[in-house]
Amino acid sequence: MQRDLIALTVIHVVGFWFQLVAARRADDGWFLGAPNDERVSLGSSYSGYELMRHTGRPRIFVPSHVWRSCSISQESLPPCSTVPSPPYQRSPPSSKAVVMSLEPPTYLASLQSNIRQRPIPWDGAVRAGTLSEEQYNKIRDVDKAKTLEERRKLVEDDIDSYRLLFVGGPGRPSILETAAKHANVVQFILVLLTDLVKAVPSLANALLDNPDPYQHFLPLLRSTAPEDPVPLLAAHALTDLVSLARDESTATRQALPVILSYLAGLAKSSDAGLQDISVQECSSLLYGHVSRQQFWKQRSETVAPLIAILQAAAGIDANENASANLWSGTSTVRTAGFDGSFGGGVGLQLLYHVLLVMWQLSFEADDIGDELNDEYDIVPLYTHLLRLSPKEKTTRLMLSTLYNLLQKNQKTLLPTAVLARLPAILDNLSSRHLTDPDLLEELESLKALLDEYTKTKTTLDEYVAEVQSGHLRWSPPHRNQTFWMENARKILESENGEIPRRLADIMQKPWDNDKQVLAIACNDIGCLVKEVPEKRHQLEKLGLKRRVMELMQSDDENVRWESLRALGGWLKYSFEQ
């Protein structure tokens, strides 16, 4: 009898544990199932987690940050179907293709859990004037709610009081204002706010209806103490608040730069956990045109750290000339191992989230595509990463991002993609055993786009594209005498001498980490002088002869040799005259 009782107890404990696991998964996203699926609340003691007990019908899990970033509300998700495509995107990753982890950042989740369980002497706080009796009653009511539905009803029935609790009003200070000097209360309130806006989405809209909803939150982001959890909790609460409400009001537009600056600081951290928190929060914020444009406007803060992470994953040393290493194919990367890390120690999870943010940003390709490539060499970087991508999920995001960029900037970026040997990489991908149908569709679309471009382009087009890219390599035209015989005059006369001017710009740079660029440029100048000697004065006006003479003193042997050959042509025709 006693043995049976023990066995029954074990069964109940194991069953309850599975419920908790399922509940945690449900909190991270949204289960799509039949309309009559049962929803079983586990109560406030389990942080408001909700378990959907399935009734045997198919269902799909869509993580929260995906439906947020795709401008999809929970209410609009249809049962037993895939996520509909938002109007602004071409082909959003499906839930299957996007999800790598269903867990929120470990550190943040642990911090919130500890704060929820931490005892606070509320009675003493009321007596000390830290908060009013009314504010305490509102906190106590939702904290004691036994079910998520009960908590939701409490807030919805008195939503104005909860609005005043968090953001205040005329003559009614916010609890963040009255408790500003009590870190334990502030931390609890920030976690409570996060829980409530997730449970009651209408609360987010009510809070943002306030004339200045951010006035007591933004100062919390300015703490300089690295161990202070308040800025992190405040940033998380603000991110949830803004992304759930999808707000683009004037107040939000003014607050976004401050929020993004704080998150960008986390992205620059050497702590991969903080980096991942930053990237996930940014992903939640990039729900619309306004936030994406602001993210790009602050690109020296926001985009640059993400590019640094991608360069590290590609094995590109950020302390050297990253552009030169990309075009030369120099890297020290290794593929992912059993520890789940990529090149430069970048975890696959972090890599995936960075790629997700860049994918969201690529929907502004019309406005930012050229600058994104000019400043960060995004096309060669992604081409390099495609060779190394260990997971179909990361490959899918790379292909989708490249398609968005190339499709909207065909004239400028397709030549760069060809120079970066993207077509060859795509052919290699096609030979792999890929199973994700969405990935295969993206791959074919990108190949078709590049094939359409390459089948109409000549060798001269390829050379012009290379010069316009600003980075020369020993591609076939440079050493091909027939090419120069047929095209030298066209190069000098095309677009009023645009190509020689671009060569002059390239040669003015020192290229300390890639001297071969200078050697190639000297080779090209020599070929132009040889084939069209009567036009050499045009080159002299651009300062090219003087620069070639300077490069004869270079410490690089190849540069000295090519500059000597180029100058020899000039001298030859000078003597002949």
Side-chain angles (χ1 to χ4, degrees), residues 400-433:
S400 187
T401 302
L402 282 171
Y403 183 89
N404 288 345
L405 293 172
L406 299 183
Q407 199 271 334
K408 294 294 185 181
N409 302 273
Q410 296 188 26
K411 183 178 179 180
T412 52
L413 296 189
L414 281 175
T416 303
V418 172
L419 284 170
R421 300 185 178 91
L422 179 58
I425 299 297
L426 298 183
D427 288 339
N428 180 270
L429 278 177
S430 298
S431 66
R432 298 183 190 176
H433 181 63

Side-chain angles (χ1 to χ4, degrees), residues 480-526:
N480 189 319
Q481 289 187 350
T482 304
F483 169 80
W484 291 108
M485 290 172 60
E486 294 176 351
N487 297 296
R489 188 173 297 276
K490 296 177 185 177
I491 290 171
L492 288 168
E493 296 176 353
S494 175
E495 297 186 23
N496 198 26
E498 172 62 25
I499 299 305
R501 284 197 296 273
R502 187 66 176 134
L503 282 171
D505 292 340
I506 292 172
M507 292 185 71
Q508 288 305 314
K509 298 178 182 179
W511 296 100
D512 291 331
N513 294 298
D514 195 10
K515 292 290 187 181
Q516 96 169 344
V517 172
L518 294 174
I520 298 169
C522 287
N523 169 83
D524 292 1
I525 297 302

Side-chain angles (χ1 to χ4, degrees), residues 79-117:
C80 300
S81 68
T82 56
V83 181
S85 299
Y88 68 80
Q89 66 187 48
R90 174 183 170 274
S91 178
S94 64
S95 58
K96 174 184 174 183
V98 170
V99 181
M100 282 192 72
S101 169
L102 306 181
E103 293 296 321
T106 305
Y107 172 72
L108 184 58
S110 175
L111 176 63
Q112 291 175 316
S113 178
N114 289 337
I115 290 171
R116 291 186 190 101
Q117 298 171 22

Side-chain angles (χ1 to χ4, degrees), residues 24 326 506:
R24 288 181 61 84
L326 277 173
I506 292 172

Side-chain angles (χ1 to χ4, degrees), residues 7 11 49 83 89 231 308 317 330 351 369 377 393 414 431 517 547:
I11 290 172
Y49 288 129
V83 181
Q89 66 187 48
D317 191 344
T330 303
L351 173 65
D377 284 312
K393 298 174 181 66
L414 281 175
S431 66
V517 172
R547 181 57 174 155

Side-chain angles (χ1 to χ4, degrees), residues 29-45:
W30 189 252
F31 276 115
L32 305 186
N36 59 344
D37 280 347
E38 297 177 65
R39 294 170 185 260
V40 182
S41 171
L42 298 180
S44 59
S45 59

Side-chain angles (χ1 to χ4, degrees), residues 73-149:
S73 65
Q74 292 180 357
E75 292 77 9
S76 67
L77 291 173
C80 300
S81 68
T82 56
V83 181
S85 299
Y88 68 80
Q89 66 187 48
R90 174 183 170 274
S91 178
S94 64
S95 58
K96 174 184 174 183
V98 170
V99 181
M100 282 192 72
S101 169
L102 306 181
E103 293 296 321
T106 305
Y107 172 72
L108 184 58
S110 175
L111 176 63
Q112 291 175 316
S113 178
N114 289 337
I115 290 171
R116 291 186 190 101
Q117 298 171 22
R118 192 180 300 163
I120 295 178
W122 292 110
D123 291 335
V126 172
R127 288 194 298 271
T130 303
L131 70 162
S132 67
E133 186 74 34
E134 182 184 0
Q135 289 172 330
Y136 170 53
N137 289 336
K138 295 301 173 187
I139 295 171
R140 182 185 57 193
D141 289 345
V142 292
D143 193 45
K144 287 187 175 182
K146 295 181 179 180
T147 66
L148 184 64
E149 186 58 39

